[in-house]
Amino acid sequence: YTLILINVVVYGLQQLIPNEWVVRHGNIWWPYVQHGEYYRIISYGFLHMQNDPMHLVWNMINLFIYGVSLERMIGRWKFLVVYLGSIIFGALGVYVLAPGTSVVGASGGLFGLMGSFLTLLIIMKQKDTARVFVMITAPNIIYSILTPSNISHACHAGGFIGGVLLTLLFVPLVDKPESSNPPQQSPQQWQNGRY
């Protein structure tokens, strides 16, 4: 909820401050990053297209959907590390695959959350849920790749990879859910009251 609020407030500032000042000074543009403006590898993830409020709306809907689930699964601080780390990986994806482009938007972090969510489902052996997730998500990703638009696929790819890698770092720290089938008790254990 805090991340959503920050994005909405920053979008409000984008509308209030003239000459697209917020976007021009916060987008990911690697020539500026290489000249010392390192904050851009994070700040771009809290900016959205100036004249397209739906860019913000759809990203915040996805942040809510994945954010609520993941925060419950891995905890608040690990969730924050995965999200912010995925934004950084998204910026690195732009650097490697499309260094001449200017990018804004939370989708690098969001794709990181998707990668994290899928990784956790596989780790926790939730194969059916993972299949459903892929079947729902894959067509949208394929459609976005095939549709000419202002989408940064480099940022999405970097964010997704970041989400997977950062989640794998946390595997020993993630509590696995209890099995839906309780372990079998021997008659002796039952008699002695050891459930």
Side-chain angles (χ1 to χ4, degrees):
Y1 296 113
T2 303
L3 290 170
I4 291 171
L5 179 62
I6 292 170
N7 277 276
V8 170
V9 168
V10 171
Y11 192 73
L13 292 175
Q14 287 179 232
Q15 304 307 312
L16 293 173
I17 300 174
N19 301 320
E20 296 191 354
W21 187 91
V22 178
V23 170
R24 288 190 295 108
H25 290 277
N27 65 353
I28 187 71
W29 177 244
W30 275 98
Y32 290 152
V33 174
Q34 290 167 325
H35 283 92
E37 297 181 19
Y38 303 115
Y39 66 89
R40 289 176 181 266
I41 64 174
I42 288 284
S43 63
Y44 86 96
F46 292 90
L47 301 172
H48 288 83
M49 292 173 65
Q50 190 90 11
N51 301 316
D52 184 7
M54 293 311 295
H55 183 217
L56 171 74
V57 170
W58 286 117
N59 277 350
M60 293 307 97
I61 289 172
N62 280 297
L63 178 53
F64 174 76
I65 291 170
Y66 292 107
V68 169
S69 298
L70 273 174
E71 193 171 8
R72 288 178 184 158
M73 291 169 80
I74 64 177
R76 180 175 295 169
W77 294 110
K78 284 180 267 199
F79 165 77
L80 186 61
V81 168
V82 169
Y83 182 72
L84 295 178
S86 297
I87 288 176
I88 293 170
F89 269 88
L92 293 175
V94 173
Y95 176 70
V96 171
L97 300 172
T101 59
S102 170
V103 178
V104 294
S107 53
L110 297 175
F111 269 75
L113 298 185
M114 290 181 199
S116 177
F117 192 69
L118 181 59
T119 303
L120 287 171
L121 291 176
I122 293 169
I123 290 169
M124 295 187 288
K125 299 182 179 177
Q126 305 282 327
K127 292 179 182 176
D128 291 336
T129 309
R131 264 191 230 104
V132 171
F133 175 78
V134 170
M135 285 191 295
I136 292 171
T137 308
N140 291 324
I141 294 172
I142 292 168
Y143 177 76
S144 73
I145 291 172
L146 298 177
T147 304
S149 62
N150 293 325
I151 296 171
S152 176
H153 303 300
C155 184
H156 292 177
F160 187 88
I161 291 168
V164 171
L165 293 176
L166 290 166
T167 302
L168 289 174
L169 287 176
F170 294 136
V171 168
L173 306 175
V174 174
D175 294 328
K176 295 187 179 180
E178 293 182 14
S179 171
S180 57
N181 299 321
Q184 296 294 322
Q185 302 294 326
S186 70
Q188 187 65 34
Q189 287 175 313
W190 182 83
Q191 185 179 5
N192 294 333
R194 284 184 245 158
Y195 296 95

